[in-house]
Each structure stands twice: as C-alpha cells, then as structure tokens.
Amino acid sequence: PCYRSSKTISIVVDQIVSKFNEMGKYNYEIILINDCSPDNTFDVIRELCQQNSNIIGIDLSRNWGQAAARMACFQSINSDCLIFMDDDGQHPIEYLPQLIQKIEEGYDLVCADFSEKQTKKIDMITSSLSSKIFELSGKRPKGAVSSSYFAINKMCIESLKKYQSPFPSIFGYLYQIAGRITSIKVKQNKRLVGKSGYNFSKRFKVWLNGMINFSIFPLRL
C-alpha cells in the first residue's frame, strides 16, 4: 500500500529489485497500490511501471485505508509466495530471503517480529493492547505475532482471493485458515521521510473492523 510515499517508494522499490537480483533464483512482481494519496505518489508509480515490467501499479478511487488497499492486490497475483511491506523504508529488505525461506519450509504465515521498533511508546502500548484483545477474544492464536511485514503461501493467497467482507481484516481471516504460523526477529529501520500517521484512532478502527468481521459475518471459504 502506498500513501504519501512519492519521496520514498522509488527507494524501497530499488532495494527490493536489488535484493531479488542478488538472490537470482526467483521470479518476482512488485504491486504498488496508491490509496488515493494527495501527493504525486501515483505519478511516481506510473514511472516505475514504465521502467520495469515486473512492477504493477493500481490506483484506488478514494482513500480506503491500509487494510482495504492490501486486499486490492489479490486479483493481480499468481504466485507461490506473497510478501506485504510498507512504503516508508522501515521494513528492512535484507530479511526478504528469511521470510521466503520459512514459506519454503512449509509455513502458511510468517510475520516479522520487531524487537526494536522505531515508534512512539504510546503506539507500542496501543499495538500491544490491541494484540492482547485479539488474543483474549479468541481471534488470534496465543503467542502469534502480527505486523505489516509478513509473508503468506499459495494456499493463503488463493483463499484470500475468495474472501468477502465489508470489513477487511486480513489477519483475522489468516488466523482462521493458517495452520502453520511462525515469525522471524527483525530490527525495524527509521522512516526515510516524515512520520507515521498510524495512531491510536487508526489502531482502534483496525481492531473494531476485525471484531465486527468475525463476530457478525461468518467465515467464507
């Protein structure tokens, strides 16, 4: 998902391309979803698509939020592994091989576990609180780690293509279908530019959407 990332997304894409060229044994695609950013993010995405045929750009009609923006990618995917990451440079590219390796080992879902976050204490507290609420409500396996830097296998990809809900909650859904879940320790980078807008209000909306999704709307496979 891309939002206000006109100054960062080219750097992130260059790092991804360099890492895959370095690994040398995988075909890859990069899907950039502009969540109706008010800056010229999609102009940058369009240029990146013209420079590299492995890049796909999607321009959403309005600002739907990160969860819905993630869901917009699935009809463009035909792969064995999908990795989600942020557009601000905080997710270190050097951990891509480890995420892929865990999927190749047979895991359905692999999350980055950020031991040292470059975030405010209040955001860390609200994130931890949200995680505990999900766990206590039975919507999340005990001890499971979730973050916006994660990988899923083909089974999860194909299942998410069929996922239908007015309140998208990828992790809520994945915790229902993924049998083998693990995580890897990752040290988070500092943002390349600006500061995060993911505050308590947005965390609460994500939590509420997830709770509504799996309390009111039945799981559809």
Side-chain angles (χ1 to χ4, degrees), residues 32-197:
L32 307 175
I33 301 163
N34 179 45
D35 194 17
C36 201
S37 184
D39 62 3
N40 66 323
T41 291
F42 194 66
D43 292 333
V44 177
I45 290 174
R46 186 182 289 109
E47 291 179 8
L48 291 169
C49 291
Q50 293 171 349
Q51 295 167 10
N52 188 336
S53 60
N54 292 332
I55 298 175
I56 296 171
I58 297 174
D59 191 23
L60 300 185
S61 61
R62 68 176 180 85
N63 180 243
W64 293 90
Q66 189 182 63
R70 284 182 185 144
M71 292 302 299
C73 76
F74 281 96
Q75 298 311 312
S76 301
I77 294 173
N78 181 24
S79 65
D80 298 311
C81 175
L82 169 61
I83 299 173
F84 283 100
M85 61 190 307
D86 288 349
D87 58 349
D88 57 11
Q90 283 194 287
H91 293 165
I93 304 299
E94 59 265 29
Y95 292 94
L96 281 174
Q98 293 184 40
L99 290 169
I100 296 170
Q101 180 182 349
K102 289 297 182 183
I103 294 295
E104 291 178 330
E105 289 175 6
Y107 288 97
D108 303 315
L109 168 63
V110 187
C111 291
D113 179 4
F114 294 108
S115 55
E116 297 183 30
K117 290 187 176 181
Q118 299 292 338
T119 54
K120 296 179 181 178
K121 287 186 178 180
I122 184 62
D123 288 338
M124 293 177 68
I125 292 170
T126 55
S127 178
S128 177
L129 177 61
S130 177
S131 297
K132 286 297 181 184
I133 292 173
F134 265 117
E135 190 173 295
L136 292 172
S137 67
K139 308 300 181 184
R140 171 178 177 166
K142 187 175 181 179
V145 173
S146 62
S147 70
S148 55
Y149 193 14
F150 65 98
I152 58 176
N153 67 359
K154 191 172 185 65
M155 180 276 291
C156 292
I157 294 170
E158 295 304 315
S159 294
L160 278 162
K161 286 182 179 181
K162 304 172 188 176
Y163 173 51
Q164 298 178 26
S165 170
F167 304 102
S169 173
I170 287 183
F171 273 102
Y173 187 82
L174 288 173
Y175 288 147
Q176 303 295 308
I177 64 172
R180 299 193 66 194
I181 301 173
T182 191
S183 61
I184 61 171
K185 289 288 186 180
V186 173
K187 184 175 180 180
Q188 192 176 43
N189 293 333
K190 292 183 178 179
R191 290 175 61 91
L192 294 172
V193 177
K195 60 182 180 179
S196 175

